[in-house]
Amino acid sequence: VSETIESLDLRALIAQQREGYSLAQPFYQSPAIFEFERAGWLRRQWFILAHGSEVGRSAYIIRELLGESIILARDDAGTVRGFFNVCRHRGSRICDADGRGNALVCPYHAWSYRFDGSLRSAAALPDGVDRAGLGLKSISLTEVGGLILGSLQGAPQDSARLDSILAAGLRYHGIDAARVAARRSYPTKGNWKLVAENFVECYHCMVAHPEYSSVMSHVEVLARPASEAAKAAFQQSVDQWWEKDADQGSPVARIPDNYRISSCAALRGPIGGGRLTQSEDGRPVAALMGNQTRFDGGFALFRCEPFVYLAALNDHAVMFQFTPQSAERTDVTVSWLVADTVADSDLDLSRLTWLWDVTTVEDKALVERNAKGVASIAYEPGPYTELEALPARFVSRYLEEMKADLDGRKGPPASGN
Ligand code: FES
Ligand SMILES: [Fe+2]
C-alpha cells in the first residue's frame, strides 16, 4: 500500500495531536511523512557534518546528508565549502572518496571544478554556453568553532545565529584546535524523532544509564521528581561550583536554575562528586583543551536542537551526529575529540570513550525497543512528564512547523496511486 500525505491526512493527524503527548504512530513510521519531512522540514535543519580537522587545506571529504552525497572542500585560504556531489555536465557523481588537490574532476568527461565550486575546465564546451552558471550547487555551510555545520537549505540568518551562540565558547574550550581521537557509529532502528526525544530527556537516566547516573550529579534532579529540599541542595552545589571552582575565563554561561535549557544554547555546569572529567574514575583522560588552565570539573554543553550537540569536558569533547536515513532508521555517530597536540600514545581510548560509548549503546537499545512498541496496533500517544519538558517542547515545535509546511504547499496535491 503506497500511502501519501493526503491519504494519511497529515493535516488531521497534526490537528488531533494532544498537547503534551507523544506523537501518533504515523509520525514514527510512515515513509510518506518521512519523505515530506525530507523534502521540507529536515532540509532546513542544521547538522554536524564533520569536525573541521577532518578537512585539511586543499583537501575534500565526502559526507552524506538526507540521502544526498555532499563534498566538503577547504580552499587554500582555509574556507570550507559544501557542494552537492553532482556534475553540472550530465549529472554524474563526481567524487567517490575523500581526496586532496586543487580541483574536483568528474570521472565521466573530465569537467573540473575549483574548491569554490566554479567550473575550471570543460573540454569542447561550446563558446556560447555560460560557464559562470555551471558551478557546483552549494549547500548552506558554516564552520563554527571547529564544527562544520551544514544544511541542505538552511537560511544564512540561522547560521549567523548558530555562530553567535556557539562559536566563542567552542573556541575557548579548544574545539577548533582539536582532532578526532575516536569515532563509533550506532546505527539505530528507530525514527529520528525517537532518537531526538531520547537524547534530550534524562527521565530514563536512572532506569537505563547506571554509568551516566554514577558520573553526573544532575541526574539527582533530572531523572526523578525531586523534593524541594533536594532541588535546593543541588542548586546550592551548582552555585558553589560557579563561584568557587568554575573557570571564570570561559564565555560559556552557567546552566540556568532548574535546567530550563533553551533549544539553542551554550551552557556550563559541574559534573559533581569531585570528578574532573567524565571518566569512570573521574580522573583526567587527556591534556587540557583550549584556553583552560586548570581542571574545574565542569562540562560545557553546546546544543541546537534537534541535531547539533557537543559536550566539552576539560580534557576531551564528545561530538554527536544524528542522520535520519528512513522512517525507521537513524544513524548515530559519536566522536571523541582531544587537543590536536595530544598524541595517540598519550591516550587510553577505552578510558576516553567509556561513558558515551556505554550510554549510546544503551540509548540505541532503548530507542529500538521504543520503535517496536510504537509499531504495535496497541500504541497510542502517552503523556510526557515534567521531566520530559524538552521532548514535549520539541514535539510541539515540530508539529507547528510541519503544519506551516503543509499550509505552504503549492499547487494541487500530486495526482496518482
Ligand atoms: S557528467 Fe561530469 S563531465 Fe560529464
Ligand atoms: Fe539516554
Side-chain angles (χ1 to χ4, degrees):
V1 185
S2 96
E3 59 184 12
T4 63
I5 291 301
E6 287 74 29
S7 65
L8 267 170
D9 202 348
L10 180 56
R11 194 177 298 277
L13 279 175
I14 293 173
Q16 282 154 17
Q17 269 298 139
R18 242 170 118 177
E19 179 81 28
Y21 276 67
S22 62
L23 291 165
Q25 185 180 61
F27 289 104
Y28 296 125
Q29 272 209 309
S30 153
I33 292 184
F34 182 77
E35 284 314 315
F36 184 69
E37 291 169 344
R38 199 157 72 108
W41 196 85
L42 283 171
R43 274 190 201 174
R44 299 191 301 273
Q45 306 308 308
W46 291 82
F47 293 81
I48 300 179
L49 297 183
H51 182 259
S53 65
E54 296 177 70
V55 203
R57 284 280 162 104
S58 311
Y60 58 89
I61 63 173
I62 310 304
R63 290 292 182 267
E64 196 229 283
L65 178 58
L66 301 174
E68 297 289 340
S69 177
I70 303 296
I71 302 168
L72 302 176
R74 193 185 296 275
D75 62 23
D76 294 338
T79 307
V80 181
R81 304 282 305 268
F83 305 107
F84 287 93
N85 191 358
V86 178
C87 184
R88 294 301 310 280
H89 175 219
R90 279 163 49 200
S92 171
R93 171 77 50 96
I94 302 167
C95 306
D96 298 321
D98 305 353
R100 306 194 61 84
N102 52 19
L104 303 162
V105 183
C106 178
Y108 202 171
H109 313 91
W111 281 28
S112 70
Y113 303 87
R114 299 179 191 90
F115 278 13
D116 64 2
S118 60
L119 182 65
R120 191 180 76 160
S121 65
L125 187 65
D127 282 345
V129 175
D130 173 26
R131 288 172 168 255
L134 290 173
L136 296 177
K137 292 198 178 172
S138 295
I139 66 162
S140 304
L141 198 90
T142 179
E143 191 168 8
V144 174
L147 301 181
I148 299 179
L149 304 177
S151 169
L152 291 185
Q153 245 174 41
Q157 67 266 26
D158 290 336
S159 78
R161 181 166 162 263
L162 286 170
D163 195 82
S164 72
I165 294 173
L166 305 178
L170 287 167
R171 280 197 297 267
Y172 184 88
H173 288 267
I175 306 307
D176 61 337
R179 69 179 182 88
V180 179
R183 170 168 292 162
R184 275 173 213 160
S185 30
Y186 307 84
T188 301
K189 285 182 225 124
N191 185 273
W192 65 267
K193 293 184 287 300
L194 294 178
V195 175
E197 290 179 62
N198 170 271
F199 195 77
V200 294
E201 55 97 350
C202 204
Y203 185 30
H204 68 277
C205 284
M206 278 191 177
V207 189
H209 295 314
E211 303 82 5
Y212 186 84
S213 300
S214 75
V215 168
M216 298 301 293
S217 64
H218 68 197
V219 297
E220 292 295 334
V221 294
L222 295 184
R224 60 185 168 201
S227 66
E228 286 310 312
K231 281 185 194 163
F234 175 75
Q235 193 54 48
Q236 201 185 0
S237 72
V238 175
D239 295 347
Q240 242 171 37
W241 174 78
W242 185 254
E243 274 147 37
K244 284 199 185 136
D245 302 321
D247 176 359
Q248 299 302 330
S250 169
V252 178
R254 187 176 80 157
I255 204 136
D257 293 1
N258 302 322
Y259 270 60
R260 296 212 191 290
I261 297 177
S262 48
S263 58
C264 195
L267 301 158
R268 271 192 307 154
I271 298 169
R275 288 170 185 275
L276 301 180
T277 192
Q278 284 182 334
S279 60
E280 194 165 6
D281 60 9
R283 298 176 53 76
V285 293
L288 286 167
M289 295 181 79
N291 297 339
Q292 301 172 105
T293 54
R294 61 185 174 83
F295 279 84
D296 73 353
F299 67 90
L301 198 56
F302 299 89
R303 65 197 308 283
C304 269
E305 292 175 14
F307 299 118
V308 175
Y309 299 100
L310 180 134
L313 296 313
N314 293 158
D315 56 356
H316 69 285
V318 190
M319 179 175 96
F320 299 90
Q321 289 169 273
F322 302 98
T323 316
Q325 294 289 356
S326 69
E328 299 182 86
R329 236 161 33 81
T330 308
D331 283 351
V332 178
T333 303
V334 180
S335 304
W336 287 266
L337 312 177
V338 296
D340 59 9
T341 48
V342 173
D344 277 341
S345 54
D346 294 328
L347 289 173
D348 178 340
L349 291 185
S350 64
R351 288 190 70 230
L352 174 72
T353 60
W354 168 74
L355 181 64
W356 283 103
D357 181 51
V358 72
T359 302
T360 311
V361 166
E362 289 160 355
D363 276 332
K364 170 179 153 81
L366 294 174
V367 170
E368 292 184 344
R369 198 177 290 117
N370 195 173
K372 283 182 183 160
V374 300
S376 165
I377 55 169
Y379 169 71
E380 63 176 292
Y384 292 115
T385 66
E386 63 166 337
L387 298 170
E388 295 154 290
L390 267 50
R393 179 181 66 190
F394 163 69
V395 158
S396 25
R397 175 192 145 204
Y398 163 84
L399 288 168
E400 228 167 80
E401 295 180 8
M402 286 287 278
K403 184 169 178 301
D405 274 10
L406 271 178
D407 292 344
R409 281 187 116 194
K410 293 191 182 73
S415 63
N417 34 40

